[in-house]
Amino acid sequence: MHLSIALILLLVLIGSKSIYENQSEYKGYLEFNKARHQVIDHPVFFQNTIEEVYSNDPKWKVFSQWFIQESPPTLADLNLHYKELNSHYFSIKHSWVSLIRLLQVHLTELFKSFLALTFLILYWIHYRGNKKMLLFAIAWIFFFLIFNHFNHIRGRVIFLFYLPLLPPIFEQSLRFKNKFIFGLSLIILGFLLSIHIFNFLNEAKKRQSQLSQYESLIAQKALDTPIYLEGFPLEYFSRYFSSGEKTPFFIEGWIARSPFQTKAYRRLGFKELNDLESYYLIAVKEKAPFDFPDYMNSLGDDYALIETEETADLIMYRYSKNKEFN
């Protein structure tokens, strides 16, 4: 009875969602966004971007840089390129590259990798003589490698694949008869949590510092001139603006070619990017070189750099079509 009710509710939710999407103003965007995701998040496309395969391809170069609003690829182009990318899945090159990509993520996000290695070691210590549990771990890791082969996944998602190892580890740890080993395990866990808290606090301090620098850059500036952010994590602003407050900057990326992007452009006083007479670019210094100025010039107008201002971590440029602009 309960199962039938759950299935009926699930069907109602799926059906109502489909009806709403097909009748809403977001229908075209949802269709495009799905195709956009299939291409730009494709592991083969990611590797092609690293190897600069698209550097001389005007159709895909700016798209690979996430400048999507006015980039050339159409929905048909995206669907066709998605099929082309899929054809490389079973090449020897991609099989090797997918493993290298996984290794690089582990080497880049060392804390998550350290935790994952700890889980594997503890699991081996507890279950090295249990064939069924070892078979479970091998099967799970094999599934993980297959998933990684067909998807471009990053550290926070990769870490989730190690979490299923935790319940059996905790279950076995609670059965420790050796109080010394149990106490040592708690000390190690506390040490790992301390490292995480330390990193978390450092990130919070960095976030507040860069937000303060952002405020100093835009203070007493002509904020009727739109601002574009590059290399500046948008999650830093998650509590910075209230739901009713208008942001002075705009972004490209996942909201491109959407009603949201159209409304943002109109609110800032333009319909298309090349309507801008001038703009600010605020970027994180360590993320240089910056792509947005070249992208703006590629749209048909020549923007000249007329002003530069720096803080410890950020840099702000002002570009204008009129070289005498001040």
Side-chain angles (χ1 to χ4, degrees):
M1 180 64 180
H2 295 296
L3 179 60
S4 300
I5 294 174
L7 289 174
I8 291 173
L9 288 175
L10 180 62
L11 291 174
V12 170
L13 288 173
I14 294 174
S16 59
K17 174 178 178 292
S18 178
I19 293 171
Y20 170 76
E21 289 177 350
N22 288 327
Q23 294 180 349
S24 74
E25 62 174 324
Y26 307 112
K27 179 181 178 181
Y29 166 63
L30 290 170
E31 187 177 16
F32 172 82
N33 196 45
K34 179 181 178 181
R36 185 273 313 163
H37 154 69
Q38 288 177 331
V39 171
I40 208 164
D41 294 325
H42 199 290
V44 177
F45 188 87
F46 174 75
Q47 185 62 29
N48 286 348
T49 303
I50 291 176
E51 296 176 2
E52 299 186 348
V53 171
Y54 304 114
S55 60
N56 296 316
D57 188 334
K59 178 178 286 188
W60 296 106
K61 180 180 178 180
V62 294
F63 181 87
S64 67
Q65 296 170 328
W66 282 83
F67 300 127
I68 300 171
Q69 180 70 19
E70 297 176 32
S71 62
T74 64
L75 181 61
D77 291 329
L78 290 170
N79 289 330
L80 178 60
H81 196 46
Y82 176 60
K83 293 179 180 178
E84 294 172 351
L85 294 170
N86 285 345
S87 68
H88 295 280
Y89 264 138
F90 298 102
S91 66
I92 295 177
K93 176 185 175 181
H94 180 67
S95 299
W96 176 245
V97 164
S98 68
L99 294 175
I100 293 177
R101 185 177 68 250
L102 183 61
L103 177 62
Q104 287 173 337
V105 174
H106 280 79
L107 292 175
T108 301
E109 305 199 23
L110 292 177
F111 179 71
K112 293 186 180 72
S113 301
F114 180 65
L115 279 180
L117 181 60
T118 302
F119 296 164
L120 289 173
I121 292 174
L122 288 175
Y123 191 93
W124 169 256
I125 290 173
H126 289 318
Y127 297 106
R128 61 188 182 277
N130 189 322
K131 292 183 179 179
K132 288 184 178 179
M133 295 302 290
L134 287 177
L135 182 62
F136 163 75
I138 292 171
W140 185 250
I141 292 173
F142 184 67
F143 168 71
F144 172 32
L145 293 175
I146 293 176
F147 189 89
N148 174 72
H149 181 84
F150 289 100
N151 297 275
H152 175 210
I153 52 178
R154 307 308 294 167
R156 68 186 66 184
V157 178
I158 287 175
F159 184 68
L160 295 177
F161 279 88
Y162 293 98
L163 293 183
L165 301 178
L166 272 181
I169 290 174
F170 282 140
E171 180 185 3
Q172 192 66 24
S173 297
L174 292 174
R175 298 177 181 177
F176 271 159
K177 295 181 180 180
N178 190 317
K179 293 183 179 180
F180 172 76
I181 296 179
F182 183 70
L184 181 62
S185 299
L186 290 179
I187 292 173
I188 293 173
L189 180 60
F191 175 70
L192 294 175
L193 289 176
S194 299
I195 294 176
H196 178 66
I197 292 172
F198 177 77
N199 290 336
F200 181 83
L201 293 176
N202 273 346
E203 177 61 25
K205 183 178 179 181
K206 176 183 175 183
R207 173 182 300 203
Q208 188 55 51
S209 173
Q210 291 196 359
L211 284 175
S212 297
Q213 293 173 51
Y214 165 83
E215 289 179 343
S216 70
L217 286 173
I218 67 172
Q220 299 179 346
K221 296 296 180 182
L223 292 186
D224 55 330
T225 300
I227 300 170
Y228 180 79
L229 302 182
E230 183 167 343
F232 204 135
L234 292 178
E235 57 267 26
Y236 280 18
F237 294 94
S238 59
R239 296 187 178 181
Y240 194 78
F241 295 102
S242 66
S243 59
E245 190 174 356
K246 297 178 180 179
T247 58
F249 56 81
F250 65 97
I251 62 172
E252 292 285 308
W254 69 269
I255 67 169
R257 304 192 195 182
S258 71
F260 316 112
Q261 188 77 305
T262 301
K263 291 176 183 177
Y265 280 7
R266 288 176 179 172
R267 176 175 58 79
L268 292 169
F270 60 96
K271 292 183 179 179
E272 296 179 349
L273 289 174
N274 55 11
D275 291 340
L276 293 176
E277 291 298 323
S278 65
Y279 67 89
Y280 287 111
L281 168 65
I282 298 180
V284 179
K285 288 181 182 179
E286 65 181 17
K287 301 295 179 66
F290 310 117
D291 298 317
F292 190 69
D294 289 338
Y295 171 58
M296 288 294 290
N297 288 337
S298 73
L299 297 178
D301 290 298
D302 184 19
Y303 291 85
L305 176 62
I306 61 171
E307 182 184 353
T308 302
E309 187 173 342
E310 298 184 36
T311 62
D313 301 306
L314 307 179
I315 187 166
M316 182 174 72
Y317 302 105
R318 190 177 191 181
Y319 289 87
S320 174
K321 289 181 181 179
N322 184 352
K323 296 181 181 181
E324 302 300 323
F325 188 93
N326 54 56

